[in-house]
Amino acid sequence: MRDERAWTWSDPLVGDDRDAAASAARLLSGTSLVLAGPRGSGRSHLVRAIMTELRSRGVSPAVVRPSAILGDVPLAALDSSGDPRITALRAGEAAPEPAPIVVVDDAQLLDHASATALARAVSGGRAVLLLSIMVPRARARHAPAGDTGVGRVMMRLWLDGFADRDDLREMTTEDAERLLSLFPGSATLDAATTAGLVWRADGSRRLLRELVAEAVQAASAGRDPLLAVREPPAHSRLAGAVELHVSDLSDDSRKTLAFLCRVPHISMVDATRFLPQDVLESLLASGLLYADDSPARRLTANEMLARESARQLGAERVDALVERAGARMLRESEEWWSTPISVALADRWHRGESTSAEMDEIPAAVRARVALDAARAANDAGDVARALAHVARGQRAADTPDLRVERLFATAVLRPRDGDAFADVDEQTLDPVTRRRLHRLRAVLADRGFSAPLLSASDAGTDAEVEDVLARAARHGEQMDWISAAADATLATRLEAAPATRLRALAAAGMAETFLGRWTVAQSHFRTVERLLDARTRTTNLGTLDRLGAILVLLSSAQLAGADGGGAAQRLLSERIVAAREGDGVGLTVAGIAAAIADTNLDRPARALLELETALGRGPRTLTGPDLALAELGVAEALAAAGRVEDARLVFDRVEAGDAPQLRHARASVEATLLIAESRREEAVGRARDAATLTRGRAVPPMRLRDLFKLLVLGELSDAEREELELLAADSELPLAAVTRERIAAWDGSGPDRDPREELRLHPHWVPTEATATGGPIGRLSPVPLSAAGAAAGGGLELTRREREIALLVDQGLNNREIAERLYLSVRTVESHVYQARQKVEASSRSDLGRIVARADASRGADPSRSRM
């Protein structure tokens, strides 16, 4: 007999449609219950929770365990129970008083005779039944596999009034968020991964549990969690759960998913050439397919379930679908063309697999076009080796100028000096798409080091002149000539261009104006960016990567200006969910970098490091050069300021050196912070002075403010520099300047015994929205400790009266010496109280402590003035 300990239950139930205590009370009152729900809806979990409730009230239920193996043997389920109460029910004997409670999980697996005997016992008042039964999902068009009619017998109890029925819904996003917080090790997963796992779970609690377990194991081994769950190991718990889940789908649904897994991002109109439209619409409605916001409605399948569908169908059937699509496209190439089908066809040729037509019968120009599509896709994904292979195959058919450009790009990524060869390309021989790519390629290889997709589908109307202007603006920015950069970027916003290029121009202009300290002008550009991002109808045809890139700039600019970027962080939540659904490795990388910047400013340095590391380990390296270096340096500085010195040093030391002044300044400034955290003050002074030298005489107010204030903290600011700092803080419209004025006025300069790390962070942390405080609907895996502000506002402070008193005086702008004089304490005692209070409320700095405690007092209706002596 099975060990009853396996039925114990301790985990909390998640979902407002399940209440174990209420269900147990109904059973004890003599009401039978039918728990109906689709596969993965948590029926078994609820049954075990109800049994625990019954036992806690002194009632031991009789348990019947159905089995698929015994489903064809009459009365086998009852005979195998071993419980004398079940034996009595089987024999039709009168049951003892009160009637026993009989529990049957997965009742659809019962043999027909056992189901009939139980139904008779309930209708005769000889037993109270708690049974769970699997029903089709609301979106399913057929009964689950293996339904022998037993389910209908059990449902008759409800229809005839002998039992109540509780329908358990599939997992909602809110349920998923709560469930994720309960899974061991889930906090080691990044936000994009959790978004991808929830989508792959397809509303199933069981699938989500197994997905998280597999992903956590992969992450602990240093592997990409999303790649690990793409094809789960055979015979694993996840593989078994996925197999059962997909078995509920119709054959047409499995064929559709398998085809779209092989041909991702195909447009809806092209997909309907080969697949039933009603099936496509049904899968879209159910969430197994995702259509992007473009007019073409490019489709992406739930990759894990699609791969399992392909496995169940067999490779030959799926190959035949792709082969048929490729053959039709080649025959009708003058009427329509699908790039995703072209890429899938090129991959088959690359693997040497047979096609629907002999290669000799396909025109050379068509073969070259197929190879060009595949080479572009491979280059955009950072897979230059595959790009070169496709180019070689295409050039054997027809050595076109467009193929030569893709070869040049791939070789230039492998050997950057080869990028000079682009200068010899005759643009007049290129098709319009390649000509636009060429301008982006030159800018990427020569200036930016950013090898993300170079031409999304939304770039169809990009003016090459705009790309050249933006590339020139980027070069000026790297040289810290932000006046010229702003002029070029502003010019780019006024030129005719495709929506995606216009979005980049507006973001670049806003960033340049932020560096110049012209925050009002920058905000006007950013408001236009936000309007484009918020467009209710996506007539702008912006791709996910376009929107992520713009959000990345919004986050970075808010950080630079000392403004609150919580709104941009909120935007990031929904966009990275889309990136996870589309399965775009480049998009996930950019989303991870953006999340690292957001978490840094939301005072979550450990989370920022997790996001950064996961993003950089995801697929081919798609972010290089200054963009990546600046992001890594920002995370290193946040880690150093938070006291995680070893992590900060590891991140800092791996940042690739660069000769551009912008990167040299960032390295010097961040290293000064790191050296301070390592208690190497003299070296820190030298690096801080190096950073200040690079900004001297340049129009970069936000950088100059930070450099001079860092020297002030280190006690190395000259009188002339002090005057410059005060003038900058007084004249600048940056939010950072207002904070700097307050900090200068409150500066106590109490000497070398003071820990300068308390003062290094010049601007306050961002205020999280309700979603960003918890990482968003599917962006956080474990209960996140409330921010210090949230804990304080909730009355969770454990400060002594003296600590609270000192914190409120800090909020009033008094320095440690002034507080000591007012309270008749030593400066060292005040410093000790400040340190202890900061630890208790998890404040990142002295000023944060004052603000947090004052906010908590205000939320409780306290009068902060009562601490004034």
Side-chain angles (χ1 to χ4, degrees), residues 32 62-66 75 77-78 85-86 89-90 101-105 107 110-131 150 153-154 157 162:
S32 294
V63 178
V64 175
R65 299 184 179 86
L75 296 173
L78 299 185
R85 292 170 293 181
I86 300 298
L89 292 176
R90 179 201 186 289
I101 296 176
V102 179
V103 177
V104 186
D105 193 15
L110 284 170
D111 60 274
H112 196 278
S114 293
T116 302
L118 289 173
R120 288 173 177 169
V122 171
S123 60
R126 293 182 293 115
V128 176
L129 193 61
L130 167 64
L131 66 86
V150 171
V153 173
M154 294 288 92
L157 292 173
F162 292 109

Side-chain angles (χ1 to χ4, degrees), residues 558-830:
Q559 180 185 48
L560 178 66
D564 189 348
Q570 173 66 25
R571 291 177 183 276
L572 176 62
L573 294 176
S574 59
E575 291 301 337
R576 67 187 177 196
I577 291 172
V578 173
R581 286 183 172 182
E582 291 184 352
D584 185 348
V586 178
L588 291 175
T589 298
V590 176
I593 298 296
I597 294 174
D599 284 327
T600 294
N601 290 278
L602 289 165
D603 196 17
R604 300 196 291 240
R607 191 74 194 175
L609 179 62
L610 172 63
E611 296 286 353
L612 178 69
E613 295 299 303
T614 306
L616 296 184
R618 181 158 276 144
R621 180 63 62 88
T622 53
L623 188 61
T624 59
D627 298 292
L628 174 59
L630 292 173
E632 287 186 290
L633 289 172
V635 173
E637 186 165 36
L639 291 167
R644 299 182 56 143
V645 179
E646 292 184 4
D647 288 336
R649 175 57 70 179
L650 286 173
V651 174
F652 179 84
D653 287 344
R654 77 182 182 200
V655 175
E656 298 178 1
D659 295 330
Q662 180 82 358
L663 186 54
R664 284 164 48 206
H665 172 270
R667 285 184 62 87
S669 179
V670 172
E671 189 170 16
T673 302
L674 180 53
L675 290 168
I676 290 171
E678 293 173 335
S679 301
R680 296 159 62 182
R681 185 180 181 281
E682 294 304 320
E683 295 171 82
V685 169
R687 296 303 281 152
R689 179 59 65 187
D690 291 341
T693 300
L694 285 167
T695 56
R696 186 170 57 224
R698 297 180 187 268
V700 283
M703 300 167 69
R704 187 65 175 166
L705 280 169
R706 287 180 169 85
D707 290 343
L708 293 178
F709 190 81
K710 191 167 292 185
L711 289 172
L712 176 65
V713 170
L714 291 168
E716 296 293 329
L717 197 67
S718 68
D719 292 340
E721 288 171 330
R722 172 75 181 237
E723 183 178 350
E724 180 188 358
L725 176 61
E726 292 175 347
L727 185 62
L728 269 175
D731 291 347
S732 177
E733 63 183 45
L734 290 168
L736 181 69
V739 179
T740 305
R741 290 194 295 271
E742 296 174 2
R743 298 285 293 276
I744 294 174
W747 180 253
D748 59 8
S750 56
D753 291 336
R754 176 183 39 78
D755 184 358
R757 285 182 302 175
E758 292 189 7
E759 306 294 343
L760 281 179
R761 184 175 180 84
L762 190 53
H763 61 85
H765 286 111
W766 297 347
V767 178
T769 63
E770 181 179 353
T772 56
T774 59
I778 56 174
R780 184 70 61 186
L781 281 174
S782 59
V784 180
L786 291 174
S787 65
L797 295 177
E798 298 179 355
L799 301 183
T800 65
R801 182 188 63 80
R802 180 66 81 185
E803 288 168 348
R804 176 181 170 279
E805 188 175 34
I806 290 174
L808 292 172
L809 290 173
V810 167
D811 184 61
Q812 297 169 30
L814 277 66
N815 59 39
N816 289 349
R817 190 174 299 281
E818 290 170 336
I819 294 173
E821 291 174 355
R822 178 171 294 196
L823 300 181
Y824 303 102
L825 300 171
S826 68
V827 174
R828 185 62 62 87
T829 299
V830 173

Side-chain angles (χ1 to χ4, degrees), residues 51-360:
M51 291 177 65
T52 298
E53 283 288 339
L54 291 172
R55 287 176 177 141
S56 70
R57 303 182 189 194
V59 176
S60 178
V63 178
V64 175
R65 299 184 179 86
S67 169
I69 298 176
L70 302 177
D72 295 331
V73 181
L75 296 173
L78 299 185
D79 291 340
S80 63
S81 70
D83 191 308
R85 292 170 293 181
I86 300 298
T87 302
L89 292 176
R90 179 201 186 289
E93 299 174 1
E97 293 291 341
I101 296 176
V102 179
V103 177
V104 186
D105 193 15
D106 282 328
Q108 74 278 357
L109 299 178
L110 284 170
D111 60 274
H112 196 278
S114 293
T116 302
L118 289 173
R120 288 173 177 169
V122 171
S123 60
R126 293 182 293 115
V128 176
L129 193 61
L130 167 64
L131 66 86
S132 78
I133 186 167
M134 187 176 72
V135 296
R137 292 180 288 184
R139 56 193 184 227
R141 300 190 176 189
H142 68 294
D147 186 358
T148 60
V150 171
R152 291 189 291 275
V153 173
M154 294 288 92
M155 282 299 184
R156 290 292 304 185
L157 292 173
W158 164 62
L159 293 171
D160 294 339
F162 292 109
D164 288 349
R165 172 174 171 173
D166 288 348
D167 286 287
L168 304 182
R169 68 176 183 225
E170 292 183 271
M171 180 177 61
T172 65
T173 300
E174 293 75 17
D175 293 340
E177 178 186 359
R178 294 172 60 191
L179 279 168
L180 288 169
S181 68
L182 302 175
F183 296 147
S186 55
T188 62
L189 302 180
D190 65 292
T193 293
T194 63
L197 295 182
V198 169
W199 187 48
R200 285 162 174 77
D202 188 35
S204 168
R205 295 161 186 253
R206 179 183 178 185
L207 262 186
L208 182 63
R209 182 171 61 251
E210 303 300 345
L211 280 165
V212 172
E214 190 70 34
V216 168
Q217 184 177 5
S220 64
R223 295 181 289 123
D224 185 342
L226 289 180
L227 290 178
V229 301
R230 177 183 293 177
E231 289 189 76
H235 310 300
S236 66
R237 292 172 58 93
L238 175 58
V242 172
E243 181 179 5
L244 287 174
H245 194 83
V246 171
S247 67
D248 290 343
L249 301 175
S250 67
D251 191 63
D252 281 344
S253 294
R254 287 200 295 268
K255 286 194 295 185
T256 300
L257 290 174
F259 177 82
L260 293 175
C261 184
R262 290 281 192 91
V263 190
H265 310 304
I266 189 174
S267 68
M268 183 71 171
V269 66
D270 287 338
T272 55
R273 298 176 191 270
F274 315 104
L275 304 168
Q277 183 164 351
D278 61 334
V279 176
L280 287 168
E281 295 290 356
S282 175
L283 292 174
L284 282 168
S286 70
L288 286 170
L289 286 185
Y290 172 77
D292 70 8
D293 291 324
S294 69
R297 297 184 70 196
R298 291 181 290 265
L299 302 174
T300 307
N302 184 322
E303 186 179 37
M304 182 186 70
L305 300 184
R307 286 176 176 270
E308 174 60 23
S309 297
R311 189 193 69 79
Q312 292 185 12
L313 290 171
E316 291 184 0
R317 293 182 67 184
V318 181
D319 288 343
L321 290 173
V322 177
E323 189 174 346
R324 181 165 60 89
R328 179 176 175 184
M329 186 192 73
L330 294 177
R331 287 196 308 269
E332 304 170 6
S333 60
E334 295 183 0
E335 300 175 18
W336 63 278
W337 187 269
S338 171
T339 298
I341 293 178
S342 177
V343 172
L345 194 60
D347 285 338
R348 289 177 58 79
W349 291 352
H350 177 69
R351 294 192 299 269
E353 298 176 0
S354 61
T355 61
S356 60
E358 294 296 330
M359 295 292 291
D360 293 341

